[in-house]
Amino acid sequence: MTNPEPRGVHGIDIGGSKIELVAFDGAMREVFRERVATPGHDFQRFIDVVAGLVRRGDAALGAALGTAAPVGIGLPGVIDAASGRQLSSNVPALNGRLVVPALEQALGRPVAIGNDCQCFALSEAEGGAADGLPTMFGAILGTGAGGGYCARGRLHRGFNGVAGEWGHWAAPAHLLSHYGLPVIACPCGRAGCMERYVSGPGMSMLHRHFGGEGAEPMVIAARANAGDAVAARTLAAHLDLLAHAFSSLVLALDPHAIVLGGGLSQLPHLYQQLPGAIQRHLFAGAQVPPILPPRFGDAGGARGAALLARQLVLQQSSASAP
């Protein structure tokens, strides 16, 4: 007997400044969307705001569902595997809190929670740019650098739930030396993390290091296209560092595609030049998988969270079936 899929599901994307809920029907068609400011320093207020969003999402889905629609949440940071407490969140009110139990009690229904980068990957693996592929890696390049690995449309999070945190791999010493780059401290508590160099702020840091004036990545790319030597050197160093990281992804996970997300995913030269740059860091015989733009872009976080909730319900139904 096939377990029925939920007839409605909520996906919630939580960031430091906003919370966005999207309600989907059973076919993952958007029914309702609402965005509100994040209560960053008041945990009970945070719970109340999420509960209000879910109530309004329930109303949009309609009472005909019969049961409360499950909720999936995408949230920056990780959950401590031993205690279940939220760590490294950019929402101070949640740091050190048991977020899932508090929300399940307030909402009276199952809550699935995942890293926001992992939710992006899941969205692109199921119905997104990598739909139908056996495996994929979703790599976020934005304010930070993170990602998620999916196999046959399911997210693989690993023993600690941190699979895909490639942004906290160490930047290679030979490339830091080649470009004369410093070992930069990372908020995670370590130093020299790849994120410090290849994220959006990382590219801006490279530009300043090479003597350029402060600029955002899109401006740097435009200047490079116009012949600015410092901007061109910035893009070359950034591409080399990013290609080294992605070559390690290929060797460790061998995904059938890498889908880019975040603000830097809008830079055309990455799709044109990354494959060749990655190839230079691989040994002979290893091929570079397709580097793809996202299908859902910024909307993927809430959608991926909803898919995570749907998978949780199906898993629980399967486990309880005779």
Side-chain angles (χ1 to χ4, degrees):
M1 178 177 178
T2 301
N3 295 308
E5 296 196 5
R7 289 176 287 173
V9 63
H10 300 303
I12 304 177
D13 185 22
I14 297 174
S17 61
K18 58 86 181 174
I19 300 174
E20 184 172 53
L21 177 141
V22 182
F24 299 90
D25 66 14
M28 288 302 294
R29 293 183 295 250
E30 181 179 325
V31 174
F32 172 81
R33 178 187 295 264
E34 183 177 349
R35 177 181 292 193
V36 299
T38 303
H41 297 276
D42 186 331
F43 184 64
Q44 188 56 53
R45 175 62 179 157
F46 171 85
I47 297 296
D48 292 343
V49 166
V50 171
L53 283 170
V54 171
R55 284 195 300 271
R56 294 189 289 277
D58 283 345
L61 286 172
L65 289 175
T67 58
V71 174
I73 291 177
L75 179 69
V78 298
I79 295 177
D80 180 75
S83 68
R85 297 182 184 276
Q86 186 72 29
L87 301 175
S88 305
S89 172
N90 65 349
V91 184
L94 307 188
N95 204 29
R97 295 281 191 166
L98 295 169
V99 177
V100 171
L103 284 171
E104 288 186 331
Q105 181 177 4
L107 300 175
R109 69 192 77 190
V111 172
I113 193 166
N115 178 276
D116 54 341
C117 296
Q118 294 175 339
C119 288
F120 161 79
L122 181 57
S123 181
E124 293 298 333
E126 186 172 338
D131 186 53
L133 295 180
T135 64
M136 64 82 70
F137 192 90
I140 292 284
L141 288 165
T143 305
Y149 180 67
C150 296
R152 303 196 182 281
R154 298 191 68 86
L155 186 64
H156 288 253
R157 292 194 277 189
F159 178 66
N160 289 292
V162 298
E165 287 286 358
W166 66 277
H168 294 284
W169 292 351
H174 71 284
L175 288 183
L176 295 185
S177 175
H178 176 75
Y179 292 106
L181 298 172
V183 177
I184 303 172
C186 180
C188 77
R190 301 171 65 241
C193 290
M194 188 65 73
E195 178 179 274
R196 297 296 91 193
Y197 307 90
V198 300
S199 63
M203 181 184 287
S204 297
M205 179 280 297
L206 292 175
H207 191 245
R208 290 191 301 273
H209 177 79
F210 293 136
E213 298 178 0
E216 297 299 313
M218 296 299 172
V219 174
I220 296 170
R223 290 178 181 174
N225 289 335
D228 184 290
V230 173
R233 179 166 173 75
T234 299
L235 292 192
H238 179 269
L239 186 75
D240 204 8
L241 287 158
L242 184 59
H244 185 279
F246 282 9
S247 72
S248 297
L249 282 175
V250 172
L251 294 175
L253 299 173
D254 202 16
H256 289 77
I258 297 174
V259 182
L260 303 186
L264 269 62
S265 70
Q266 301 174 43
L267 292 172
H269 80 273
L270 292 182
Y271 304 99
Q272 299 160 4
Q273 299 176 27
L274 254 181
I278 296 170
Q279 192 71 63
R280 291 192 290 273
H281 289 287
L282 292 173
F283 51 72
Q287 298 299 307
V288 179
I291 309 297
L292 304 175
R295 180 170 296 172
F296 295 105
D298 291 341
R303 185 177 182 276
L307 290 169
L308 198 64
R310 188 172 71 169
Q311 290 182 359
L312 173 65
V313 170
L314 293 175
Q315 181 179 345
Q316 291 174 338
S317 298
S318 178
S320 63

